[in-house]
Amino acid sequence: MENFELNPLVEPAVTWYEKNKRDLPWRRDNHPYHIWVSEIMLQQTRVEAVKGYYERFLHRLPTIEALADCPEDELLKLWEGLGYYNRVRNMQCAAKVIMESYNGQMPQDYEEILNLPGIGAYTAGAIASIAFQIPVPAVDGNVLRILSRVREDDGDIKKEGTKKRVTKELFPFMPKNHPGSFNQAMMEIGACVCVPNGEPLCHSCPWESMCLSHKHGTTDHYPVKSKPKKRQIEEKTVFLIVDGENLLIEKRPSKGLLAGLYQFPNVEGWVEREDAVAFAREKGLDPVFVEPLPEAKHIFSHIEWRMKGYLLKVSDFRGWKNEKEGNGILISKDEIRMEYAIPAAFETYAAYVNLPLGKKGFL
Ligand code: SF4
């Protein structure tokens, strides 16, 4: 890849983008807040999945001020199902800084955007280049992949050092007249043409004549990616404790995985039916019906939950003892749908009490 000229990539990519870009809600204006929300949502989540979330989020929180002032439970509910909940918490921290230090307006300076909580080089580059036409790169996984293929770059794209190097290499080539279009063109080529899974569609690519891996038939070898670390397996048993109307949920600790979200009561390890009954009895409840539920699995980035579940029907909750520092909540499904964010990890079990989560639960 030595001496590969980046400059000739710019104009064909921008021309292709202007002709082929998808009509996406966040592309209809170049408002910095809209770009920010969409870029944070799109990290780790597909475009189609993000669309509904994006529109609902902006309808409820149309300004940076509204985001700064939003109660935490409501904020997490708006994010329910998108995962990586620290993303939206950090957005709120940044919104508060913007309110305090920038009069509620996104700063129009790359370094100042980069200094906001939760905004890394990619997001800062996207906001600065698309909203303010500042010639800075925005390098995400898509951009790393396509530049790796086009240049036969052996750098491991999982390594932070590779991302930093590619970002640095792009800086001098950012076009001053349309940096936002160039960044979006690269994202779009990565999403639609030089795709991550499956054969790249080289015949539709504006870089076909320049691409080294296409020329040498090495697209399979690029990008170079180190293998992810093995996930830690955790077994859990989940209890759905319900009467006709209500069910028990509890708030997760304020730190760690899924911090501050709500969940069905659960214990570490897989337990038997009699243990499930004993669990309910410890809470002062007397199950009249116990149904073992199928196993479920949820994969986080470094952890995998393997779950078993029990549906425990009680005739009423009169004897209920709220333990664990009183974090248990007896609540109706409608109230959960309105206000309490339950992560997608519990989706399989939520279905047994007809409680739709995430996008399926939009009101
Ligand atoms: S020519 Fe093919 S391999 Fe090269 S960047 Fe385009 S789609 Fe990817």
Side-chain angles (χ1 to χ4, degrees):
M1 93 142 198
E2 269 166 42
N3 301 326
F4 189 98
E5 272 288 319
L6 285 165
N7 207 30
L9 299 178
V10 178
E11 288 310 319
V14 172
T15 307
W16 175 89
Y17 176 70
E18 293 305 336
K19 234 197 252 169
N20 295 285
K21 64 183 170 191
R22 290 166 294 173
D23 175 28
L24 301 175
W26 42 91
R27 286 187 178 154
R28 290 178 195 151
D29 59 47
N30 285 335
H31 193 289
Y33 177 51
H34 300 172
I35 294 159
W36 180 27
V37 172
S38 67
E39 290 298 344
I40 299 291
M41 283 187 174
L42 285 164
Q43 289 165 18
Q44 324 278 351
T45 313
R46 289 174 306 106
V47 163
E48 282 312 309
V50 162
K51 281 182 186 169
Y53 280 101
Y54 171 83
E55 273 157 12
R56 185 178 68 152
F57 193 92
L58 287 186
H59 180 71
R60 168 61 190 92
L61 305 175
T63 60
I64 291 176
E65 183 177 9
L67 170 59
D69 292 341
C70 184
E72 188 184 56
D73 274 351
E74 189 178 349
L75 192 64
L76 295 174
K77 188 70 189 172
L78 288 168
W79 211 260
E80 182 188 82
L82 280 173
Y84 302 92
Y85 291 83
N86 274 343
R87 291 183 293 168
V88 71
R89 282 206 174 89
N90 283 332
M91 277 184 80
Q92 186 169 51
C93 292
K96 287 178 180 168
V97 173
I98 295 171
M99 290 309 298
E100 280 161 23
S101 306
Y102 297 101
N103 204 22
Q105 304 297 315
M106 178 70 74
Q108 298 195 20
D109 177 271
Y110 174 68
E111 293 297 331
E112 286 179 60
I113 299 171
L114 191 55
N115 279 335
L116 293 168
I119 297 194
Y122 167 76
T123 310
I127 298 169
S129 65
I130 302 168
F132 305 126
Q133 300 303 314
I134 299 171
V136 288
V139 176
D140 68 350
N142 277 333
V143 174
L144 284 172
R145 180 175 61 259
I146 62 174
L147 289 179
S148 162
R149 284 181 175 154
V150 85
R151 302 192 291 173
E152 291 190 319
D153 180 346
D154 288 318
D156 179 349
I157 63 161
K158 289 283 174 194
K159 294 211 164 118
E160 205 42 44
T162 306
K163 197 182 205 177
K164 281 194 180 144
R165 169 175 60 78
V166 172
T167 303
K168 200 169 156 200
E169 286 164 348
L170 276 172
F171 257 100
F173 298 99
M174 290 305 300
K176 297 215 169 15
N177 47 350
H178 40 222
S181 294
F182 181 49
N183 281 333
Q184 290 181 96
M186 288 197 284
M187 297 171 200
E188 196 78 345
I189 293 170
C192 304
V193 180
C194 198
V195 289
N197 305 308
E199 285 286 304
L201 309 171
C202 301
H203 56 280
S204 306
C205 180
W207 295 345
E208 188 181 8
S209 62
M210 297 170 254
C211 176
L212 296 184
S213 65
H214 174 62
K215 186 170 161 194
H216 300 145
T218 57
T219 53
D220 281 359
H221 301 288
Y222 297 95
V224 173
K225 247 196 252 185
S226 51
K227 283 212 170 99
K229 279 193 200 145
K230 267 201 153 180
R231 289 194 188 93
Q232 185 186 324
I233 309 280
E234 291 183 3
E235 291 178 346
K236 285 184 183 296
T237 307
V238 176
F239 305 108
L240 293 170
I241 307 179
V242 298
D243 67 1
E245 295 292 315
N246 300 304
L247 68 158
L248 277 189
I249 58 171
E250 56 188 28
K251 193 169 172 104
R252 288 183 61 81
S254 58
K255 293 223 160 73
L257 184 68
L258 304 173
L261 281 95
Y262 293 86
Q263 64 179 4
F264 303 119
N266 59 80
V267 292
E268 296 300 319
W270 286 357
V271 305
E272 299 300 326
R273 185 188 185 99
E274 54 272 25
D275 301 311
V277 173
F279 180 85
R281 291 207 169 124
E282 273 169 32
K283 290 185 176 295
L285 300 168
D286 194 15
V288 291
F289 175 83
V290 181
E291 182 188 350
L293 301 174
E295 290 174 21
K297 185 161 89 169
H298 190 81
I299 295 173
F300 300 93
S301 50
H302 304 303
I303 297 173
E304 183 174 323
W305 280 2
R306 294 195 183 158
M307 295 169 280
K308 275 187 172 182
Y310 289 94
L311 177 65
L312 297 139
K313 286 193 181 156
V314 296
S315 52
D316 60 63
F317 279 100
R318 270 179 292 182
W320 176 50
K321 289 184 278 188
N322 191 1
E323 297 157 330
K324 281 200 191 168
E325 298 162 16
N327 71 341
I329 300 167
L330 182 58
I331 196 162
S332 72
K333 279 182 275 177
D334 284 347
E335 285 173 291
I336 295 176
R337 285 186 72 182
M338 299 286 289
E339 291 171 47
Y340 294 83
I342 296 184
F346 296 98
E347 194 170 22
T348 303
Y349 296 114
Y352 284 93
V353 286
N354 297 319
L355 177 65
L357 300 182
K359 219 169 182 176
K360 291 181 198 150
F362 279 15
L363 294 168

